[in-house]
Amino acid sequence: MPQQRDVVDLLTADHREVQVLFEGYRANADPGQRRLLVERITVEIVRHSVAEEQYLYPTVRRALPDGDEVAEREIEELSEAERILGDLEDLDPADRRFDSLVRELYDVVSMHIRGEEDVIFPELRERLTEEERMALGLRVGEAKAATPDPPGGQIGGGQAGGGSVNTGRPLAERVREWLSGPGRA
């Protein structure tokens, strides 16, 4: 059972976790380790996105005066991140375009984080009661807990030694499918 936390605190912790993964990528020169870090980033971004789409953005649409516009903008950024993740999957980590795409992904994710932390989260703190934020945090936490790490810690294809076969579909798409598979919320 996940610990009950304010949704703002929970999602902010997710943001910091992904930032640490990006820092690990920048600090590591080994192509195999970089591939593994990008796969971990993929899982975390998609897990975060799914939880936000299920619980955060419906609340944003209701609670913020311009909620529909704000939610759509954030969803577009997350879709752009998933597109870049798909492009990364097709490249060898030793390819110099790989680093360029990771920087582009970092920029998109950073913009998403700033949008939530500078606009959405302060608005939610102002417009929702503490009890509402705690209840929302519990739902987001339960959604994340219902989607444990993939078997072996990976779901990727052959390059990283993951446990599943690369079907030619982007990793982000396969993660989404895995997250919403049988027995998962």
Side-chain angles (χ1 to χ4, degrees), residues 165-176:
V165 175
N166 185 338
T167 62
R169 292 178 18 246
L171 179 59
E173 184 179 316
R174 295 192 321 267
V175 171
R176 260 188 190 283

Side-chain angles (χ1 to χ4, degrees), residues 22 25 96 98-108:
F22 276 113
Y25 176 88
R96 40 174 247 181
F98 196 85
D99 278 341
S100 177
L101 281 172
V102 171
R103 280 191 298 278
E104 184 180 344
L105 176 65
Y106 177 79
D107 290 344
V108 169

Side-chain angles (χ1 to χ4, degrees), residues 11-12 14-16 18-19 22 44-46 48-53 56-57 60 70-81 104-121:
L11 293 174
T12 300
D14 280 0
H15 294 165
R16 297 305 165 264
V18 169
Q19 288 172 323
F22 276 113
E44 293 308 318
I45 287 173
V46 174
H48 181 86
S49 299
V50 168
E52 286 186 337
E53 289 168 10
L56 180 68
Y57 297 135
V60 165
V70 170
E72 287 304 317
R73 183 175 54 244
E74 294 300 318
I75 290 168
E76 284 176 27
E77 287 172 358
L78 291 171
S79 294
E80 176 64 9
E104 184 180 344
L105 176 65
Y106 177 79
D107 290 344
V108 169
V109 170
S110 294
M111 186 170 28
H112 171 76
I113 289 171
R114 281 191 309 273
E116 287 189 344
E117 293 183 7
D118 294 348
V119 177
I120 294 174
F121 294 169

